[in-house]
Amino acid sequence: MKPLFIIKTLITSLGFLALLNPSQASAQIVPQPWVSVGGKDGDVTYAVGAKALGLGVEFGTGEDGATGVDVLKFINLPVISPYVGVGYYSEDKGVAFSGGVQANATKHIFIGGGYNSVRGFNGQLGIKF
């Protein structure tokens, strides 16, 4: 066999092993809750959320008293977890889009930051059990 073929196969195999690491999956079964505080156009916004198995849900209040829910999809990487989401809010705000990132601060605490088209920029603080 050619050495270049062996090296490419080894690199590809290691990549798949890192991507499909089973030890991370067992940690994702327990929900990880967070609280969020942010602001948009001078209004303070609040939200609570939780994630498990790469999906999350966040309930929040936005500008002008709008309340709603967002469904989030996380990309679980070793240290950070970027996410995107879509939601629906009352008070004629309609569909909202969101995105951000959460990162491990300690073994049991994570922090994050994001943007929601109804709730604006926000900071997050969460707990891992």
Side-chain angles (χ1 to χ4, degrees):
M1 279 196 176
K2 295 183 179 180
L4 186 59
F5 176 76
I6 294 172
I7 292 171
K8 286 181 181 180
T9 304
L10 183 61
I11 291 172
T12 304
S13 299
L14 290 174
F16 278 120
L17 284 175
L19 187 63
L20 303 173
N21 186 358
S23 65
Q24 288 182 351
S26 63
Q28 294 297 318
I29 294 173
V30 177
Q32 299 173 0
W34 72 84
V35 295
S36 174
V37 177
K40 183 171 183 185
D41 298 332
D43 292 333
V44 177
T45 62
Y46 303 95
V48 295
K51 67 178 178 177
L53 300 173
L55 295 174
V57 64
E58 191 171 39
F59 300 96
T61 62
E63 60 182 335
D64 302 328
T67 58
V69 62
D70 295 284
V71 177
L72 310 172
K73 173 59 180 151
F74 287 85
I75 300 170
N76 294 317
L77 301 174
V79 177
I80 63 169
S81 295
Y83 67 88
V84 294
V86 64
Y88 188 79
Y89 282 78
S90 66
E91 303 299 324
D92 294 328
K93 298 298 180 189
V95 177
F97 299 98
S98 58
V101 66
Q102 293 180 343
N104 298 332
T106 67
K107 185 176 179 182
H108 297 288
I109 295 176
F110 62 92
I111 58 173
Y115 178 78
N116 181 289
S117 59
V118 172
R119 295 184 288 112
F121 289 99
N122 58 73
Q124 305 159 359
L125 179 63
I127 300 171
K128 293 174 18 175
F129 296 106

